[in-house]
Amino acid sequence: DADVTQTPRNRITKTGKRIMLECSQTKGHDRMYWYRQDPGLGLRLIYYSFDVKDINKGEISDGYSVSRQAQAKFSLSLESAIPNQTALYFCATRSETREAEAFFGQGTRLTVV
Amino acid sequence: AQSVTQLDSQVPVFEEAPVELRCNYSSSVSVYLFWYVQYPNQGLQLLLKYLSGSTLVKGINGFEAEFNKSQTSFHLRKPSVHISDTAEYFCAVSEYSSASKIIFGSGTRLSIRP
């Protein structure tokens, strides 16, 4: 089984709909992250969480919200989806060790029509 | 705040040729540096990382990178590429002080011609 699992893998939704992307990890790490990937822009940080009670905005949090349901679960919501939120979304987890690398899920390809 | 610049969005090379993917970073404090690879339809996986010590870092699949503090660079190299190296490569940085988040560059798409 993958260390970081994202569901769904692909989703098409209509403008104005609410949608939730889910992420779970088995690494036992406290830190979890949501990124979006757009061609030519790389990965941009949406939100990150250090534990269940500690959630922080990243560089592009507008239009998104998150919920940390447990140490292993971190979901991303689009309250009212718009077409420019069409992107590839990645969840990642990382240990507290300062030099630690991040472990990524397989990604969720979201299309807003 | 830290930032990462990957100057080349695409790099085409012939199979068995050497390749260098460039990365420059900006930060007011010391940083950790990473290279990740993304194969088609997959997530990112770590190629190598620089923490401290020797400036030449060796990673998986024959890749290596050299940290140059004076030029704030961390270029990725491979002496002889294979078709299987076709992927997108991301340089990333994380600050020593908090290491709360990893900031990524815009990526370089490496395409290998037979």
Side-chain angles (χ1 to χ4, degrees):
Chain A
D1 288 341
D3 294 326
V4 183
T5 302
Q6 292 183 234
T7 55
R9 292 292 311 278
N10 291 281
R11 181 71 182 268
I12 299 174
T13 192
K14 293 183 178 180
T15 298
K17 292 291 187 182
R18 183 179 189 276
I19 183 169
M20 179 183 288
L21 309 183
E22 298 186 337
C23 175
S24 62
Q25 53 102 352
T26 58
K27 298 291 288 184
H29 295 164
D30 286 327
R31 299 184 173 192
M32 296 188 74
Y33 305 80
W34 276 105
Y35 289 90
R36 72 175 269 177
Q37 182 181 15
D38 298 278
L41 297 178
L43 277 75
R44 293 180 291 166
L45 184 61
I46 307 173
Y47 270 96
Y48 59 105
S49 170
F50 288 169
D51 63 38
V52 175
K53 297 180 180 179
D54 186 357
I55 292 178
N56 305 277
K57 292 183 178 180
E59 56 185 309
I60 55 163
S61 58
D62 287 348
Y64 301 95
S65 62
V66 290
S67 174
R68 186 79 183 268
Q69 300 95 327
Q71 185 205 37
K73 296 184 182 296
F74 191 38
S75 59
L76 175 72
S77 293
L78 286 67
E79 297 301 325
S80 179
I82 56 177
N84 76 1
Q85 290 178 314
T86 293
L88 186 55
Y89 290 84
F90 285 103
C91 176
T93 187
R94 190 182 186 200
S95 76
E96 288 184 353
T97 308
R98 291 186 303 170
E99 64 268 26
E101 71 265 30
F103 294 86
F104 285 82
Q106 296 282 73
T108 295
R109 186 167 297 281
L110 177 66
T111 303
V112 183
V113 297
Chain B
Q2 68 268 41
S3 66
V4 180
T5 301
Q6 293 181 248
L7 292 171
D8 305 305
S9 60
Q10 295 187 60
V11 173
V13 295
F14 287 104
E15 193 172 16
E16 299 184 5
V19 69
E20 178 179 83
L21 306 183
R22 297 181 293 169
C23 172
N24 287 88
Y25 69 93
S26 173
S27 177
S28 58
V29 298
S30 297
V31 296
Y32 299 112
L33 295 157
F34 306 84
W35 274 100
Y36 284 83
V37 59
Q38 183 184 27
Y39 297 107
N41 300 313
Q42 294 189 26
L44 280 72
Q45 62 184 85
L46 184 72
L47 262 182
L48 49 80
K49 62 182 178 182
Y50 173 77
L51 306 179
S52 63
S54 173
T55 57
L56 185 63
V57 181
K58 293 188 183 298
I60 61 172
N61 300 337
F63 283 93
E64 62 182 30
E66 185 154 21
F67 170 61
N68 187 318
K69 187 174 182 179
S70 63
Q71 297 187 4
T72 60
S73 68
F74 190 53
H75 300 332
L76 181 70
R77 293 190 281 260
K78 187 170 182 178
S80 176
V81 296
H82 302 285
I83 292 287
S84 59
D85 293 322
T86 297
E88 189 153 20
Y89 293 80
F90 293 94
C91 183
V93 63
S94 177
E95 290 186 348
Y96 264 20
S97 55
S98 64
S100 60
K101 50 191 174 181
I102 299 178
I103 302 300
F104 288 83
S106 55
T108 297
R109 188 169 298 278
L110 178 63
S111 58
I112 312 298
R113 300 169 176 173

